[in-house]
Amino acid sequence: MAESAESSKDYFVTTVNEDRATICWGCGLRLLLPTHAPVFKCGWCGAITSQNVNKPETKCLWGRRLQDRCFVTILSVFMLFLICGGVWAVHWFVFSVSYTFGIFHYILTAILAATTVSTFSLSAFRCAGTPPTVLWGSYPVVGKGDLENYTFCHYCVKPKSPRAHHCRSCGTCVLDMDHHCPFIGNCVGAANHRHFIAFLFSAVFSTIYISFLSAYAGLHIWPPVKYRSLGHLNGSGRDLAIRAFKEVMLALVSSAVQLSARGLILVYLFVSSVSLQIGLSVLLWQQLCYIYEGKTYLSHLSSQGSGGDHIEEKDCQNIFRFFGCPYSIFRYLPTLRNSPKRHAK
């Protein structure tokens, strides 16, 4: 009976084209692919493999790093000049107002300078975010779904997390990478993103204080402005406005020539601080908008490229989570609606 049962079985033999068979980089299992599949996902470990991979180029890596170091050096010298030059330029003025105002100025300057320099150092010299280390390469070690949506980084020659992105300037994969900032010479990622936002806040507040103080002190030492023929201008309309503007500008330039070195430094501090204030405020607002949406700059670009299929929840809770507070601020406020009413006896 056993022999008759075996003889009744049907055996099917088929041939597999070697072009359609490949090895999964994640678990090492042999996979049978559909025809002309450039990207495939392993059914066991979940790793994603792309067959259309260009050879990584690392020729300009040292040049990018040198450029980043130059930017960091220039920015460090500029911050040092703003701190030291600002203190020297307004020293006479703050104590001429009052001794209390002078002490308050130096305390506030020390706090802003220490905060800005420390957050800048943490953003620039701290690792932006290292992806988690996972086991890969062989089937007994890799369990089912252990490498779900992981890809292989051909630059680092190791698995890349779905939340990671490879930065060609830094030459490494960064977890939750937002962007590569040349002014800090580092990527902005999961480990230093909060320090970068704190640096922007501190820099914006510092530039606002510098611009107001340098403008107020500069007005007290600005030479008197002498107009040549402003009161004798004739005409009307556009020609009169143009001639009046030229007269005012000539008077300001002629008086600015008489400024001392301290006055020129105050003018430079005002112009540079206002310029930085505008640029940093725009960058800070953009970063806060992405955090509010629960995204990074790179995830925002990828969502636009994919047509916005994956929509993140926009909520202020995203901002609290970003700064390390898992609960909303309303949790710590007294709840007036649900509190029982107390009646006086």
Side-chain angles (χ1 to χ4, degrees), residues 33-85:
L33 306 180
T35 307
H36 304 294
V39 180
F40 61 90
K41 183 176 181 179
C42 178
W44 173 256
C45 65
I48 299 176
T49 302
S50 176
Q51 293 182 322
N52 299 330
V53 179
N54 298 326
K55 187 178 180 180
E57 298 179 359
T58 57
K59 296 181 180 179
C60 301
L61 182 59
W62 65 272
R64 293 170 183 169
R65 290 181 178 176
L66 180 61
Q67 182 181 4
D68 290 341
R69 297 299 179 269
C70 292
F71 272 121
V72 172
T73 304
I74 293 173
L75 186 58
S76 302
V77 172
F78 180 72
M79 287 194 301
L80 185 63
F81 171 75
L82 286 181
I83 295 171
C84 299

Side-chain angles (χ1 to χ4, degrees), residues 81-82 85 89-90 210-211 213-215 217-219 221-223 252 255-257 259-275:
F81 171 75
L82 286 181
V90 300
I210 292 173
S211 60
L213 191 61
S214 59
L219 290 176
I221 65 171
W222 194 278
L252 288 176
S255 62
V257 174
L259 281 173
S260 61
R262 193 187 301 270
L264 293 175
I265 291 179
L266 287 175
V267 172
Y268 177 77
L269 288 175
F270 175 77
V271 174
S272 60
S273 61
V274 170
S275 303

Side-chain angles (χ1 to χ4, degrees), residues 50-221:
S50 176
Q51 293 182 322
N52 299 330
V53 179
N54 298 326
K55 187 178 180 180
E57 298 179 359
T58 57
K59 296 181 180 179
C60 301
L61 182 59
W62 65 272
R64 293 170 183 169
R65 290 181 178 176
L66 180 61
Q67 182 181 4
D68 290 341
R69 297 299 179 269
C70 292
F71 272 121
V72 172
T73 304
I74 293 173
L75 186 58
S76 302
V77 172
F78 180 72
M79 287 194 301
L80 185 63
F81 171 75
L82 286 181
I83 295 171
C84 299
V87 169
W88 175 79
V90 300
H91 172 75
W92 63 274
F93 172 73
V94 293
F95 282 100
S96 66
V97 175
S98 67
Y99 183 78
T100 304
F101 180 70
I103 298 299
F104 171 77
H105 161 71
Y106 274 102
I107 293 176
L108 183 59
T109 301
I111 294 174
L112 291 176
T115 305
T116 305
V117 173
S118 60
T119 52
F120 171 77
S121 301
L122 290 173
S123 303
F125 303 111
R126 185 174 182 177
C127 179
T130 305
T133 304
V134 293
L135 299 176
W136 63 284
S138 60
Y139 163 71
V141 177
V142 180
K144 185 173 180 60
D146 287 352
L147 299 176
E148 187 68 25
N149 294 329
Y150 270 70
T151 56
F152 190 78
C153 180
H154 292 269
Y155 296 92
C156 300
V157 196
K158 63 181 182 179
K160 183 173 66 175
S161 168
R163 296 171 49 195
H165 183 82
H166 183 84
C167 177
R168 296 187 179 182
S169 298
C170 296
T172 184
C173 289
V174 179
L175 185 65
D176 288 340
M177 178 178 172
D178 186 83
H179 68 286
H180 181 85
C181 183
F183 297 102
I184 65 173
N186 196 7
C187 287
V188 178
N192 65 344
H193 201 171
R194 279 186 286 184
H195 301 300
F196 182 73
I197 297 297
F199 165 68
L200 293 180
F201 270 113
S202 179
V204 168
F205 289 142
S206 300
T207 52
I208 291 175
Y209 181 70
I210 292 173
S211 60
F212 275 104
L213 191 61
S214 59
Y216 190 62
L219 290 176
H220 284 74
I221 65 171

